[in-house]
Amino acid sequence: MKSKTFLIKFAKWLPALFITACSCYLSSQPSIEHMPDFWNADKLVHLVCFGGLAFWVAFGVGTKLSAKWRIILPVLLTSAYGFIDEIHQSFTPGRSCSVWDWCADTLGALLGSLAFYAVCRLHRH
């Protein structure tokens, strides 16, 4: 029974782990083809990607925590990953570390975490 519970808990983290792996791979590339081409498009990409990551981190965290921590913990974890990712990019040729990208990551994390919380509340009713 314990192994089944562990597998279920692990499976809940698979979407977040997949997004993190894709993000790590992409941030290791000197450049990314087929990016949107408008002013600050990269900030929108950061916002959407890290919003999605935070949504799935919130799914992994689950609903057993208080409402406050179901929102805050995914934001903290996702923002911390965004910070680490920016540092990682500073060592990648052709890439740079940007505090504004990290801000977009963190804002996206907040929006994604709030979206998961809202979905859970709507699902209850």
Side-chain angles (χ1 to χ4, degrees):
M1 189 66 161
K2 280 188 175 186
S3 62
K4 183 178 179 182
T5 302
F6 171 78
L7 287 175
I8 290 169
K9 287 181 181 181
F10 178 74
K12 288 179 73 174
W13 283 94
L14 286 176
L17 292 172
F18 178 76
I19 292 169
T20 303
C22 290
S23 169
C24 188
Y25 170 77
L26 290 172
S27 68
S28 297
Q29 305 306 304
S31 65
I32 301 173
E33 294 182 36
H34 309 296
M35 288 289 287
D37 188 24
F38 55 87
W39 182 75
N40 274 335
D42 66 315
K43 303 305 178 271
L44 180 61
V45 170
H46 279 263
L47 185 102
V48 170
C49 291
F50 280 79
L53 176 57
F55 182 93
W56 290 109
V57 168
F59 179 73
V61 165
T63 58
K64 290 190 166 86
L65 299 174
S66 70
K68 177 176 87 172
W69 282 105
R70 282 188 287 163
I71 295 168
I72 292 173
L73 187 58
V75 172
L76 290 175
L77 292 172
T78 305
S79 179
Y81 171 69
F83 180 78
I84 292 166
D85 187 52
E86 288 303 316
I87 300 299
H88 168 249
Q89 285 185 50
S90 72
F91 296 102
T92 304
R95 303 297 288 271
S96 62
C97 178
S98 166
V99 69
W100 296 113
D101 285 352
W102 178 64
C103 289
D105 298 343
T106 303
L107 178 58
L110 176 62
L111 295 174
S113 188
L114 288 171
F116 183 79
Y117 182 76
V119 167
C120 288
R121 297 229 355 140
L122 287 173
H123 186 337
R124 270 196 222 154
H125 297 297

